[in-house]
Amino acid sequence: MRTLVGARSSGLLVCALLLLAPWLVAAHGPVTGRQAGDQGAGSTTVGGVLAPGIVSIAKLNIPHGYRSITAELEWGGDAMGWCRFVPGMWPGDPAMALDVGSERIVAERFTRDGYGNTTAHADVSDRLPGILASDGRTVVVRGAAPGSGEPCWGKWQLRVSWQAALDVRTSAEPSAARPSDRITQRAVITNTGDIPLTRIEAELGAGPCRRDVDRLEPGRSAEVSCEGAAPEDGGLTARVRGMTSDGTQVTAEAAGQVQILQQAQIALSIGNIVLTPDTDAALVPVTVHNPSSVLLVDVKVTGQPAACQREIGELALGQSITYTCRVGPGERVDLTVTGTGVFGGAVADSARIVRVTAYAVAPTAPPPPGAAPFPDVPPAGAPPAPELAESASVRESPARAAGIIAVLGVLVMTVSVGALSSATRVGR
């Protein structure tokens, strides 16, 4: 009986070892990856089996120098049915963490299939150098030892994808401008992948314009440019596309910015002109103001009278200068102020000079108290106005003039009546 029980136990152990043999071989031996395409985009997947205390090794084939790589590690999943009857070999869930190369990878999410099998997932794109051995190809996954408290069985897979890549950066000269000013937009195009790219087209928004580059080797750059007007919002755009040798299209976009400068402005105002007491002059207050956000240079006030002209020079952002000048009563004040803006440290050309004009008239001197108003004075050089001759009768006294008018009226009436009587007689 003891012999039968011992033989039965030995048989079960042999059967278990025979069933485990393919898995253990897979755990030790290299696993061939599935690779798709060696031009443009491609991917490869390697994997193995985790067993207690056993190292799983696989070889990963990635084209040398690829810079645009995504990698995801998975472990857990289904297992062969006989594992269910091996005590301590069937945990409910995969391990929360897995030791791969020099990295300890912690699960970021879990998925479960329709059979209840759970798989752990982790994005290892940024940690791929630490996962791979020094040769850049070997992946080593260590299974946990029995009794460590961690699940120590299951499958693992590492999926790696890559694609050819382009990069573009854009800027403008000058870096600061006013809307509609002429600028030169530049774009630097770089092949950031590991395979040559051809038929590269760049579309720049400043023109808009299109520029072509025949070919870019891996890691090489090319610069294109386009002249155009500075956009109202200062935004620059650059779009690039190229082709791999197998016809795969690769694209990239970039945005830049031009600093939009405010238009130069200047203001001129003439205040309340006041006559100075006991003099024949008036004081004119003049104010020059820079309301813009740029420095103004060569600021000067010209015009008439000459006493109100000024050389101001520089006028800082938001600065105002007020001065007074003396003019005569009734004199017209007609002034113009000009200035030139400074943009990005450079003085604008003469076409960008700002100019404002203002005018006013000084009041006349009031008459002294109690004096009769001044008669109207004819303009200089005008002929004197003719004087009306006065008759002697107009110079007589009003009473005498009235009597003379009455006598004349009687005489006129008598003559009129006599004439009327004569006419009547002739008619008869």
Side-chain angles (χ1 to χ4, degrees):
M1 185 67 178
R2 289 178 182 178
T3 303
L4 181 60
V5 173
R8 182 178 298 174
S9 300
S10 300
L12 289 175
L13 181 59
V14 170
C15 291
L17 291 174
L18 290 175
L19 292 173
L20 280 172
W23 279 40
L24 296 179
V25 170
H28 282 286
V31 178
T32 303
R34 298 185 301 276
Q35 186 165 319
D38 57 358
Q39 301 286 342
S43 64
T44 184
T45 302
V46 297
V49 175
L50 289 174
I54 298 176
V55 175
S56 179
I57 301 175
K59 294 291 185 179
L60 181 66
N61 294 321
I62 302 176
H64 176 69
Y66 266 86
R67 299 166 177 82
S68 180
I69 292 179
T70 60
E72 181 172 313
L73 183 66
E74 301 176 356
W75 63 96
D78 60 344
M80 295 181 64
W82 58 265
C83 291
R84 300 177 183 272
F85 304 101
V86 179
M89 295 289 289
W90 182 253
D93 293 308
M96 287 294 298
L98 202 63
D99 293 323
V100 186
S102 61
E103 301 284 339
R104 183 167 178 80
I105 309 301
V106 179
E108 297 174 349
R109 62 187 179 92
F110 293 89
T111 59
R112 188 181 296 272
D113 62 18
Y115 300 98
N117 301 310
T118 302
T119 302
H121 303 264
D123 184 356
V124 294
S125 303
D126 297 334
R127 304 175 70 177
L128 195 58
I131 288 177
L132 300 178
S134 58
D135 62 358
R137 298 180 56 197
T138 305
V139 184
V140 178
V141 183
R142 295 185 296 276
S148 63
E150 296 184 4
C152 55
W153 71 275
K155 297 179 180 179
W156 66 270
Q157 281 188 337
L158 178 62
R159 294 175 177 164
V160 179
S161 302
W162 62 87
Q163 63 182 13
L166 274 173
D167 179 77
V168 60
R169 298 287 184 268
T170 186
S171 60
E173 291 182 4
S175 60
R178 294 175 297 273
S180 76
D181 279 359
R182 302 298 294 178
I183 62 171
T184 299
Q185 182 181 357
R186 303 186 186 280
V188 177
I189 307 167
T190 304
N191 181 353
T192 55
D194 192 55
I195 57 176
L197 295 175
T198 58
R199 298 165 56 189
I200 299 171
E201 297 178 354
E203 294 181 0
L204 307 183
C209 69
R210 193 184 76 174
R211 296 290 183 264
D212 297 331
V213 177
D214 292 336
R215 182 182 179 90
L216 270 183
E217 297 295 330
R220 301 298 297 272
S221 298
E223 180 177 312
V224 295
S225 63
C226 178
E227 291 189 0
E232 292 289 336
D233 60 355
L236 300 174
T237 59
R239 296 179 176 87
V240 182
R241 59 178 175 268
M243 302 293 291
T244 63
S245 60
D246 65 348
T248 302
Q249 182 171 277
V250 184
T251 62
E253 295 185 8
Q257 190 72 28
V258 176
Q259 180 186 357
I260 297 299
L261 300 174
Q262 181 179 339
Q263 296 284 353
Q265 297 176 343
I266 198 168
L268 174 67
S269 61
I270 299 176
N272 186 29
I273 303 176
V274 179
L275 294 170
T276 57
D278 303 326
T279 66
D280 59 350
L283 292 179
V284 181
V286 180
T287 299
V288 181
H289 175 57
N290 179 4
S292 63
S293 61
V294 298
L295 173 67
L296 296 176
V297 297
D298 299 331
V299 179
K300 56 185 176 182
V301 181
T302 58
Q304 297 298 326
C308 294
Q309 299 177 5
R310 290 292 186 278
E311 292 281 347
I312 297 175
E314 289 190 358
L315 201 60
L317 290 62
Q319 183 182 4
S320 295
I321 291 179
T322 300
Y323 65 91
T324 59
C325 56
R326 189 181 297 270
V327 300
E331 188 172 1
R332 179 182 174 90
V333 180
D334 196 344
L335 302 175
T336 298
V337 64
T338 57
T340 305
V342 177
F343 299 93
V347 178
D349 54 34
S350 58
R352 296 293 183 176
I353 293 178
V354 288
R355 183 189 311 270
V356 174
T357 299
Y359 69 91
V361 177
T364 57
F374 291 105
D376 293 336
V377 179
E387 296 183 2
L388 297 176
E390 296 181 344
S391 64
S393 61
V394 174
R395 293 191 181 97
E396 299 292 341
S397 64
R400 185 177 179 181
I404 294 173
I405 293 172
V407 173
L408 290 174
V410 171
L411 291 176
V412 170
M413 184 178 296
T414 303
V415 173
S416 299
V417 171
L420 183 59
S421 299
S422 300
T424 304
R425 285 196 300 269
V426 172
R428 288 179 183 176

